[in-house]
Amino acid sequence: MPTNFTVVPVKDARGAKRSPTEDNVLREEDEEATGDGVPKENSPFINNTDNDKANSNSYDGTNMALFEEEMDSHPMVSSLLNKLANYTNLTQGAHEHEEADEDEGAKKKTVKSPQMGTFMGVYLPCLQNILGVILFLRLTWIVGTAGILESLAIVGLCCSCTMLTAISMSAIATNGVVPAGGSYYMISRSLGPEFGGAVGLCFYLGTTFAGSMYILGTIEILLTYIVPKAAIFVADKKEDEVAALLNNMRVYGTCCLALMAVVVFVGVKYVNKLALVFLACVILSILAIYAGVIKSVFEPPDFPVCMLGNRTLHNQKFDKCLKTEVIDNLTVSTQLWRLFCDGPNLNATCNEYFTNNNVTEVQGIPGLTSRVISDNLWSAYASLGMTVEDHKLPSLPAPESAQDFNMPYVVNDITTFFTLLVGIYFPSVTGIMAGSNRSGDLRDAQKSIPIGTILAIATTSFIYVTCVVLFGACIEGVLLRDKFGDSVKGNLVIGTLSWPSPWVIVIGSFFSCCGAGLQSLTGAPRLLQAIARDGIVPFLQVFGHGKANGEPTWALLLTAGICEIGILIASLDSVAPILSMFFLMCYLFVNLACAVQTLLRTPNWRPRFKYYHWTLSFLGMSLCLAIMFISSWYYAIVAMAIAGCIYKYIEYRGAEKEWGDGIRGLSLNAARYALIRLEDAPPHTKNWRPQVLVLLNLDSDQSIKHPRLLSFTTQLKAGKGLTIVANVLEGTYLTKDTEARRAEQNIKVCMSTERTKGFCHVVVSSNLRDGVSHLIQSAGLGGMKHNTVLMAWPGTWKQSNDPQSWKNFIETIRETTATHHALLVAKNVDSFPTNQERLGEGTIDVWWVVHDGGMLMLLPFLLRQHKVWRKCKMRIFTVAQLDDNSIQMKKDLQMFLYHLRLDAEVEVVEMHDNDISAFTYEKTLVMEQRSQMLKQMQLSRTEREREAQLIHDRNTASHTAINDKADAAPERVHMTWTKDKLFTERRHRECNANVAVRDLFNMKPNQSNVRRMHTAVKLNEVVVNKSQGAHLVLLNMPGPPKNRGGDENYMEFLEVLLEGLNRVLLVRGGGREVITIYS
């Protein structure tokens, strides 16, 4: 529905008129200050350029003063509409359609607006590309072989496919401006670069092989119907005729290809100018066919076909269809007699079939009023080498003889069947993209493309259907099945029907094929150049270059090379199914693009062409797929494999492009649906895998401190499940947004380097603790949330003056426990192997002290799936107490592992309640003394900070009093701390410090701490003894104390527990079973 715009002039509130003086005063006031009293900045926005400053007078008035700041970064509606009005279509591939050059300035040349309408711009080009070589050279043979009914089925099937594709294409083409580039542009922008590149290259290959087909058609017309004596290779025997014909096609086809390539290279403009001439040839040829049909009603042309029995004879080596003739009352043999007998004498030995059957002559074109249509309704498929026969005629069979092959019969050169004919015929309905490829030259592409394309398909479909019926109604069946017109002295079969002369069709079809070949050699290199310039296929970028005027020289050379492959095949019937596959692939994805966009209902999907529906697109897509496998299932598989390989290559190596394509929208819908399904219930134990939140630390330059943490994540995950790599920056987002973006970029680069597949999340928080807490609580979406937290061990916690580092670490442990998340802490993570390393024979040792849901056994299994850890063996150690049966424990554990389907060595380590050693007692005492000293140091630091705050407060108060003297009477500043109080506090603190030092040397360690230290020391001794040479040690992580006063002692216990070990992974389960013995 059209939308009306009304432009309303806005008057000044103080009146429409104002004196110049008043204007100057207002302008000066506006320059000095903005409406809110803040001095106006010259460049408050990043994207404010000198040009913006120069044009800033455009909104200096007061009418739009409220939007002044927005106008610095957003254009006014008037300027936006002005830019849209001056929009011109760009050459597809030269620039992205949203990224036109804005730097041309005064040097920008005036671009002529496109002037081509529907008829000249779309209808006629489509007509020229659709009608062509198959119509003139193969349609009569298809009708004779398949019969009228099956031929109508073939035509209806193929034309329905292209009509449905045209409807889908019209919807896509009218959904916004389509720059020149046609189908490739539409598919790539609708289905994304992967599909666009794959289908674009398939369309390119189809267009290139179409050039081969047209050139082969040109040479076939030249050597068979125009200059047969120009053949270089001549067969001495009949069995060599096919090979000689193919060799002639190869030689002449190569020469023709070279000539056409030179023409295209020298001047494309001449090719475009001759296009109308070639189109005129096609139209005149079709008119000549219809004229011949009308004439056949009154006066059928005389083209007799000589039959021996019911077999058709090759009528080029004899002039009369007689065995003998009477000359001067003498019966003499004819040339036909000599072909079947071993001499001219009447008593010569002749071929048995020749002797038993009579020679008759039938009219090749009996005319429209004859009843030949009833004979041509049904199919007459035949095998290779079988003679073309008319079963209405009487025939006495003869014993099969090898000599029959050498007789002058018209035989089938290939085995025919329905699906083969579909593949051969389909290229005759291709060419529907010709109008969309010229979208840059159209006056109104959104109106012309649908109307012109659909009318062209309707016209050509009518021509094909009527031709099928008329050929079957006018031409004898044996002549229809005579592919090369051998029975009518080598005339083109369709030419025998035309009026006024067969040469009209021969010359017209010759120039039509020439023109179509030139058009293919012109269009295919430009399509390849467009794909290369888009940069989605890296190895094709060299073909984006060309001559100074933009002509694709390198692409033309590659096109000629691929075209030569089709010419070396040399058979039109073999090349046609190949290009059918590639065109059908293209049409299939045009229908898919329209269906996807329609079903997704994306906000940008607003085509002006309204006569489409997703069911029609799916029907068109199904027809394309069906025709592919009907015509040639092995060619279809090869074409799909080529497209699939290109798709995966672009996905793996291609440039990342964001074109707002439908596949992204489809992925979003699928992800939304999957997330909603996932949120219904937690995953079953059988489906549980670690969904990891990786907490990274960054240095002051926003670089990653421990990149090996990402390497370990990659080895653990192998691209499966969810991985969120997160970091917390301290501060506020308004001041740290640049650092946050840089940190996110650095993390993504490192993830790419370490091949970590996942998401990056950088949070800015007022303090580190809150930021980590927010990540643990809220990272992920719906059912795709993490269940495991991975972090590095704070290795410098003892050397750090700030206790907040290890306090944050312990609080993170507490938080993961509260949220029921598993926790993995990697100690000495920088010594972990990279993704390129391959660990040799060694072990992954699991120390299973307490049951944590099976995490300790699942993690080694997952690690061993990666090639870094594949050669490592798994060992499980468990600890037996004094009253445990070690032998039974080992048996039970082995049985448990057997049911878990895990291969591992099992060992039970006995740890008896030995007496606490003096070393353990002393280590505990040192730990508590250190903790007490740190508390004293922290107290001293607090006092120093309080003194500094006192001095600062006094200075601030004195300055404030001096500044406020002129305005008001000075107020009395109340000081909490006096000088006497300060000295008293210092003496009291010194006394307390002396007492604390004496207490420090007299203190006794806490018995609970002694027991914990004893456990850590003894367990460490056992682990170091058994696993010091292991590649990785997995160990249960003890929980932090409930009383936060013992947090520092907890860090000491862990440090003692891990002492002397290289690579350690502390594991803390999430409170649920993660591994099961059941299937």
Side-chain angles (χ1 to χ4, degrees), residues 769-810:
R769 177 72 224 107
D770 290 345
V772 172
S773 176
H774 294 156
L775 282 172
I776 292 174
Q777 293 177 60
S778 62
L781 180 64
M784 282 294 284
K785 295 181 73 70
H786 61 278
N787 54 29
T788 305
V789 177
L790 172 63
M791 59 193 300
W793 170 263
T796 59
W797 71 273
K798 279 189 174 182
Q799 292 77 26
S800 175
N801 294 326
D802 184 13
Q804 202 61 39
S805 61
W806 54 266
K807 286 185 177 179
N808 287 339
F809 174 76
I810 297 176

Side-chain angles (χ1 to χ4, degrees), residues 423-479:
I424 292 174
Y425 173 77
F426 189 80
S428 65
V429 297
T430 59
I432 63 174
M433 300 290 186
S436 62
N437 290 342
R438 295 167 178 254
S439 57
D441 302 324
L442 299 175
R443 188 185 305 116
D444 186 358
Q446 297 193 7
K447 177 183 176 184
S448 298
I449 289 176
I451 296 174
T453 306
I454 292 174
L455 279 180
I457 294 174
T459 304
T460 53
S461 300
F462 173 78
I463 291 172
Y464 285 130
V465 169
T466 54
C467 282
V468 167
V469 175
L470 293 175
F471 292 164
C474 295
I475 304 175
E476 186 64 44
V478 289
L479 182 55

Side-chain angles (χ1 to χ4, degrees), residues 160-161 164-165 167-168 191 587-600 612-626 666:
S160 300
C161 175
L164 292 171
T165 303
I167 292 172
S168 299
L191 292 179
Y587 297 164
L588 184 149
F589 282 101
V590 168
N591 286 296
L592 176 63
C594 180
V596 167
Q597 297 278 25
T598 306
L599 289 174
L600 288 179
Y612 70 93
H613 196 266
W614 66 267
T615 53
L616 295 178
S617 299
F618 268 113
L619 181 59
M621 187 174 66
S622 304
L623 272 178
C624 290
L625 195 62
L666 191 63

Side-chain angles (χ1 to χ4, degrees), residues 647-722:
Y647 178 93
K648 295 305 292 183
Y649 176 80
I650 296 174
E651 185 182 51
Y652 180 66
R653 293 290 303 275
E656 292 184 6
K657 298 282 183 180
E658 178 51 65
W659 287 330
D661 51 85
I663 294 298
R664 297 296 175 92
L666 191 63
S667 301
L668 184 62
N669 272 12
R672 179 187 62 82
Y673 175 78
L675 284 172
I676 291 173
R677 290 289 304 274
L678 278 175
E679 205 170 14
D680 290 345
H684 191 272
T685 302
K686 290 184 288 187
N687 297 324
W688 194 95
R689 67 166 60 244
Q691 319 287 359
V692 182
L693 171 65
V694 184
L695 298 178
L696 285 181
N697 294 324
L698 304 183
D699 57 23
S700 57
D701 296 331
Q702 311 305 328
S703 298
I704 298 175
K705 285 185 178 179
H706 305 296
R708 295 288 177 88
L709 205 59
L710 293 179
S711 304
F712 181 73
T713 305
T714 303
Q715 296 156 21
L716 180 65
K717 299 288 292 175
K720 305 294 191 301
L722 174 69

